[in-house]
Amino acid sequence: MSLAGTGNAAAGSLLADGLKSMLTPIENKPATKADLEKLRKQIVNRYHKINNIPPRADGAQPYFDMYTGGVVYSFLVL
């Protein structure tokens, strides 16, 4: 075992990992703990804006209430 051989193996491993990381599309990369925590925070929110229902005549926007399971209208951004 030589120092040169160890260095070459380390450099080759780093190069292969770097290329693999660069060539893998973002949607195919594994989720991190931060990604999962961000998703959990989005799901736990009580109100979710509904995009496929138009606003009421007075301009109030529709939101889905996760607690009641119904649609509520609000002028405020929740």
Side-chain angles (χ1 to χ4, degrees):
M1 187 158 124
S2 68
L3 186 59
T6 304
N8 286 339
S13 178
L14 288 173
L15 180 65
D17 288 344
L19 283 173
K20 183 171 69 169
S21 177
M22 286 189 325
L23 296 176
T24 303
I26 191 78
E27 60 270 2
N28 291 341
K29 290 186 179 182
T32 63
K33 288 180 184 178
D35 294 335
L36 295 175
E37 183 63 22
K38 182 180 173 184
L39 181 61
R40 186 193 67 80
K41 285 181 180 179
Q42 286 178 345
I43 292 173
V44 173
N45 288 340
R46 179 171 180 173
Y47 299 104
H48 294 271
K49 186 166 183 342
I50 302 173
N51 294 322
N52 61 349
I53 296 178
R56 282 192 318 207
D58 61 359
Q61 297 291 321
Y63 290 88
F64 181 75
D65 186 347
M66 295 292 284
Y67 293 163
T68 65
V71 176
V72 295
Y73 284 86
S74 174
F75 290 104
L76 304 173
V77 176
L78 302 174

